[in-house]
Amino acid sequence: MDQSRIRNFCIIAHIDHGKSTLADRLLEYTGAVDKREMTEQVLDSMDLERERGITIKARAVRLNYQAADGEKYLLNLIDTPGHVDFTYEVSRSLAACEGALLVVDATQGVEAQTIANLYLALEHDLEIIPVINKVDLPSADPERTLKQIEEVFGYKPEEAILVSAKTGQGVDALLAAIVQRIPPPKGSTSEPTQALIFDSQYDSYKGVIAYVRMFNGQIRIGDKIRMMATGKEFEVTELGVFAPEMTPVEKLASGEVGFLAASIKNVKDTQVGDTVTTVDRPTATPLPGYRSAKPMVYCGLYPVENVDYTNLRDALERLQLNDAALTFEPETSTALGFGFRCGFLGLLHMEIIQERLEREYNLELIATAPSVVYIVHLTNGETKEVRNPSDLPGFGFIEHLEEPFVNANIILPHDFVGPIMELCQEKRGLYKSMEYLTTDRVLLHYELPLAEILVDFYDKLKSRSKGYASFDYDFLGYRETDLVRLDILLNGKPVDALSAIVHKDKAYHYGRQLARKLKELIPQQLFEVPIQAVVNNKVIARETIRALRKDVLAKCYGGDVTRKRKLLEKQKEGKKRMKQLGTVEVPQEAFFAVLKID
Ligand code: GDP
Ligand code: MG
């Protein structure tokens, strides 16, 4: 295909503004997917994505489009995730495009991730087409949304396209705007080959499948290619495009988007962001890379049954093949036994991995409360990173501690500014600025400790703003703060998996609340169980779980065997996700109790 007829673009938006639905309509209008075959959200193929209505992995798809003047075009659409945890995926996809559709929900207006994603797109120099979506809804206010994008971003109302991704209204005009406004790729087929790996996937037969955007030159089946980051060479066995199924092609040329397989067995040989070149006509300069993904949140994952340890390791290895951002290393807990300390991009990423381990790999897991990475300066002059609260050295060994802070941008109606500022204050936030986006919408800028966001910031933000506030954050850096380690003793024995790192001023409150919560969550045992919260060897709170008196089976009057069996089975069911800690049985919820404290 003549390169001047290619358009590579992506869709960016705040979550739920209609990115996936719009992608579906574009597929349908260009005939990539038959209307009859159209299941909702074709690009969100993972079950979990559909259920949760989010897009995790970026996907690419090729569309054939015939413009009104009869000219044929080839459009490559790259879908991007909208959640803050997956910013790095967004960034990868953007680098493969020349343009972006900025989708704004006409019933909601500009939200925090609208801004964050637009800034990312502008960093990559993309041509932006503002798209006002959901105009079919009675509550849509396109006029106001147009005014907003003009005031906030400076886009003229005439530049925006009004659509309904649901009914298809405006989609034709949008397709016309894509070919008119988004520039064709710049590279040349006659230059030395440069292809950018923007994603990869592991296939047990073909090996690694690298998703590539060709910037210069071409790649054919049988070509020897070189990965510029590692210098490793491979022979191309398969090339293809996403139409939307993987469809084989003979070659990929400058400007195109597709995939390649080359019997690559190790995912580390196809680093996302790396440049592929051909050994025949190698380029001297790799393409600019991406921001690499760095885990920000850690938690311990332990199998409920110790025999599942190797299965858990195998499952994590498998998941890692398609998820460069997931990290894990073996960890031992006196309470939980052998498990792994796993690193994630954020809470959603963590939940998704946990759910996939349980669903797709049939594992029963105990997860410890999520923690950030602390930097500890020891009295002997050394520094170390702590990813697990129970690894924090004793009081006397610590000179000072640093914790990660983020820049948080919160967008909300001005009526809620009071309660939300209060929330940020409670979360140890530092007020930076407040800006009126329009007469009634405010952009609040705070610096917040990441650890405080992990706990329940998002839920509280939503409840205190009646669902109207949205927020986005990016990593700011490490700062010294006054933190202490809070330990929990059950039956007089410390439970390392329940330790937490908390701010000194909040330690008493936390200790008391945590002990109370644990008392609620840990079922009664046949004996009395004291719960103690300890800071610096000082007990700051104590609760007691009273002993269980009655035998549960007594209810069955001894007679009815089937009822008895049923009850035992029910109990067994309930035992799932329980861990025997010494003589005390502790349910999964107890390990998350620290997240539920007000
Ligand atoms: P994403 O998170 O940006 O991918 O958003 P989705 O495409 O999943 O859409 C979020 C919700 O909005 C879904 O329930 C869609 O059915 C709905 N939706 C998307 N576009 C439209 C639209 O144009 N009109 C209406 N009425 N609903 C829409
Ligand atoms: Mg989506």
Side-chain angles (χ1 to χ4, degrees):
M1 170 66 84
D2 173 2
Q3 201 172 289
S4 67
R5 299 282 163 72
I6 298 177
R7 300 291 182 275
N8 296 318
F9 69 101
C10 55
I11 308 178
I12 52 176
H14 188 77
I15 195 150
D16 280 347
H17 281 203
K19 218 170 34 230
S20 302
T21 311
L22 182 61
D24 284 352
R25 279 300 83 62
L26 291 172
L27 260 68
E28 189 188 314
Y29 275 61
T30 53
V33 177
D34 204 286
K35 189 152 190 180
R36 277 174 296 123
E37 293 169 16
M38 197 80 206
T39 56
E40 237 181 86
Q41 310 209 330
V42 178
L43 296 188
D44 293 350
S45 57
M46 215 188 296
D47 277 354
L48 229 115
E49 291 185 349
R50 273 179 210 233
E51 271 171 40
R52 293 184 170 226
I54 50 166
T55 308
I56 302 164
K57 271 262 167 197
R59 317 265 150 170
V61 56
R62 170 189 279 227
L63 312 170
N64 292 303
Y65 172 65
Q66 185 160 12
D69 59 7
E71 294 281 9
K72 290 196 168 110
Y73 291 88
L74 201 156
L75 315 180
N76 287 305
L77 160 61
I78 293 170
D79 194 24
T80 57
H83 192 274
V84 52
D85 277 10
F86 300 99
T87 301
Y88 86 109
E89 296 253 5
V90 179
S91 192
R92 290 170 186 193
S93 315
L94 296 176
C97 300
E98 276 79 33
L101 312 184
L102 177 71
V103 173
V104 183
D105 182 334
T107 68
Q108 304 293 319
V110 169
E111 305 252 24
Q113 287 154 40
T114 315
I115 298 187
N117 285 323
L118 176 64
Y119 287 167
L120 273 179
L122 293 174
E123 268 175 39
H124 289 277
D125 267 340
L126 303 191
E127 177 69 32
I128 307 292
I129 302 179
V131 178
I132 312 296
N133 188 30
K134 306 200 190 180
V135 296
D136 61 292
L137 289 173
S139 55
D141 193 343
E143 290 308 314
R144 207 162 139 222
T145 315
L146 287 171
K147 207 167 149 230
Q148 238 183 42
I149 62 159
E150 182 170 24
E151 283 172 13
V152 182
F153 305 128
Y155 294 117
K156 293 197 193 72
E158 312 82 81
E159 289 178 68
I161 311 246
L162 305 191
V163 306
S164 163
K166 189 172 182 183
T167 66
Q169 178 191 340
V171 172
D172 280 326
L174 178 58
L175 281 162
I178 290 169
V179 298
Q180 274 163 21
R181 294 201 226 158
I182 296 175
K186 281 203 193 75
S188 156
T189 331
S190 53
E191 290 290 310
T193 303
Q194 282 178 314
L196 181 73
I197 303 179
F198 66 90
D199 204 347
S200 71
Q201 188 185 320
Y202 190 79
D203 181 287
S204 35
Y205 299 106
K206 297 173 183 167
V208 177
I209 295 170
Y211 292 27
V212 292
R213 156 69 205 270
M214 303 293 299
F215 275 86
N216 273 304
Q218 51 188 340
I219 299 177
R220 289 171 183 279
I221 292 175
D223 277 357
K224 258 208 147 155
I225 51 167
R226 183 183 299 141
M227 305 295 171
M228 293 191 74
T230 57
K232 293 236 170 98
E233 293 180 3
F234 302 93
E235 193 181 304
V236 177
T237 55
E238 197 178 329
L239 290 168
V241 295
F242 306 95
E245 299 83 23
M246 289 175 139
T247 310
V249 296
E250 283 299 306
K251 69 164 190 189
L252 285 175
S254 175
E256 291 190 291
V257 174
F259 65 88
L260 68 83
S263 309
I264 305 165
K265 288 296 165 217
N266 191 340
V267 262
K268 300 213 168 65
D269 291 331
T270 45
Q271 287 167 19
V272 166
D274 194 8
T275 303
V276 183
T277 191
T278 45
V279 176
D280 263 7
R281 287 204 69 199
T283 175
T285 40
L287 297 159
Y290 298 94
R291 305 205 281 179
S292 63
K294 202 167 169 272
M296 300 295 283
V297 179
Y298 285 79
C299 84
L301 289 181
Y302 292 83
V304 171
E305 303 294 341
N306 294 335
V307 291
D308 273 338
Y309 177 78
T310 23
N311 295 338
L312 175 57
R313 191 194 54 212
D314 292 347
L316 283 167
E317 274 171 4
R318 289 269 190 83
L319 288 179
Q320 203 179 37
L321 289 178
N322 283 322
D323 188 346
L326 168 69
T327 65
F328 62 94
E329 55 191 40
E331 174 180 84
T332 325
S333 152
T334 31
L336 299 175
F338 295 103
F340 296 92
R341 177 93 345 207
C342 304
F344 309 94
L345 297 169
L347 280 189
L348 179 70
H349 188 211
M350 179 179 102
E351 279 174 35
I352 286 167
I353 295 290
Q354 243 172 279
E355 223 170 299
R356 292 190 62 188
L357 287 168
E358 300 195 332
R359 262 197 223 193
E360 295 166 29
Y361 297 90
N362 258 324
L363 293 162
E364 274 173 44
L365 300 174
I366 294 282
T368 65
S371 161
V372 299
V373 181
Y374 296 95
I375 295 177
V376 186
H377 296 264
L378 301 167
T379 43
N380 68 5
E382 282 172 28
T383 39
K384 71 176 213 169
E385 282 189 4
V386 169
R387 300 190 170 89
N388 178 346
S390 71
D391 289 342
L392 193 70
F395 193 50
F397 297 96
I398 297 174
E399 216 274 309
H400 70 275
L401 278 167
E402 288 180 68
E403 68 173 322
F405 271 68
V406 298
N407 260 319
N409 285 318
I410 303 165
I411 295 186
L412 69 170
H414 69 119
D415 300 352
F416 298 106
V417 165
I420 297 305
M421 286 180 85
E422 222 167 81
L423 171 65
C424 291
Q425 227 65 45
E426 286 165 25
K427 296 290 188 182
R428 302 191 279 129
L430 296 169
Y431 170 82
K432 298 310 283 184
S433 66
M434 178 160 102
E435 202 184 309
Y436 273 85
L437 296 178
T438 54
T439 48
D440 59 351
R441 268 173 100 73
V442 174
L443 171 63
L444 265 182
H445 178 195
Y446 266 87
E447 291 174 2
L448 283 155
L450 177 61
E452 297 282 351
I453 287 184
L454 292 188
V455 176
D456 55 2
F457 184 75
Y458 190 70
D459 292 343
K460 285 198 169 138
L461 185 77
K462 285 289 174 194
S463 68
R464 292 197 199 175
S465 67
K466 301 212 161 70
Y468 285 114
S470 65
F471 98 118
D472 192 84
Y473 62 86
D474 55 41
F475 181 62
L476 182 63
Y478 274 83
R479 295 225 177 118
E480 182 175 344
T481 45
D482 233 342
L483 300 166
V484 292
R485 177 169 134 193
L486 177 80
D487 291 316
I488 295 290
L489 309 190
L490 276 187
N491 229 357
K493 291 206 184 66
V495 179
D496 57 357
L498 288 173
S499 294
I501 293 175
V502 296
H503 194 262
K504 202 168 143 209
D505 297 342
K506 289 185 173 179
Y508 278 86
H509 176 72
Y510 257 74
R512 271 195 300 269
Q513 294 269 329
L514 186 55
R516 210 168 293 160
K517 262 266 144 39
L518 288 170
K519 181 185 173 181
E520 278 170 33
L521 293 170
I522 298 173
Q524 284 180 291
Q525 322 273 324
L526 293 168
F527 46 88
E528 197 176 272
V529 180
I531 302 170
Q532 291 160 297
V534 179
V535 172
N536 295 330
N537 298 322
K538 231 174 69 199
V539 176
I540 57 165
R542 185 195 156 108
E543 294 282 342
T544 307
I545 306 171
R546 279 181 299 117
L548 188 69
R549 297 263 162 72
K550 259 186 251 153
D551 180 358
V552 238
L553 295 180
K555 273 193 233 145
C556 300
Y557 314 111
D560 188 338
V561 181
T562 47
R563 269 197 73 187
K564 211 176 210 170
R565 193 182 302 132
K566 262 193 196 142
L567 195 61
L568 281 171
E569 264 162 21
K570 215 164 143 206
Q571 271 199 327
K572 219 164 112 201
E573 225 11 57
K575 255 192 202 139
K576 273 189 187 160
R577 309 262 238 135
M578 286 271 207
K579 195 82 185 178
Q580 190 79 31
L581 303 189
T583 45
V584 185
E585 252 189 354
V586 180
Q588 165 67 69
E589 295 75 48
F591 296 97
F592 276 11
V594 69
L595 302 184
K596 307 240 161 64
I597 287 169
D598 292 322

